[in-house]
Amino acid sequence: MISHRAGWSRQLLVIACTVVALATASLGWYAAQSVRPDCVVAISKVADGNGRNLPDVYGRVWSDKELADRAYQQAVDSGRCDPPRARWKQWLD
């Protein structure tokens, strides 16, 4: 006679393995994400009386995030800031 407990324990094993695999994949994805090391950059912008950014000389309006990203990239290019790296490398420091 086949025991119902054998089938139940097999299902629990499959569920447990699935949970462990998903957790491992999630942690791996999170650890592989690129992050910026701490770095202080300054941005400047010209805004109108309502606080809206004005266009640059080429007619492009830059968002605050774009200005910050551009300032960070300039700092990396000049050697004042470290470039982005995988999150897991920061865990080792």
Side-chain angles (χ1 to χ4, degrees):
M1 186 176 272
I2 298 175
S3 170
H4 290 292
R5 298 189 102 197
W8 179 247
S9 62
R10 233 180 271 134
Q11 286 178 345
L12 283 177
L13 180 63
V14 168
I15 291 170
C17 288
T18 303
V19 168
V20 168
L22 287 173
T24 302
S26 297
L27 181 63
W29 173 83
Y30 181 74
Q33 295 300 304
S34 177
V35 293
R36 294 177 178 175
D38 291 335
C39 178
V40 177
V41 295
I43 63 169
S44 63
K45 64 179 182 176
V46 179
D48 64 9
N50 296 321
R52 291 186 302 258
N53 293 354
L54 293 176
D56 63 7
V57 295
Y58 302 108
R60 178 165 184 212
V61 178
W62 294 78
S63 72
D64 291 346
K65 182 176 179 347
E66 290 173 322
L67 289 170
D69 289 344
R70 189 170 87 173
Y72 173 75
Q73 189 58 48
Q74 289 172 348
V76 168
D77 293 343
S78 68
R80 291 179 288 143
C81 294
D82 292 330
R85 58 187 181 161
R87 182 174 276 122
W88 67 269
K89 288 184 180 181
Q90 284 188 323
W91 295 342
L92 300 178
D93 291 340

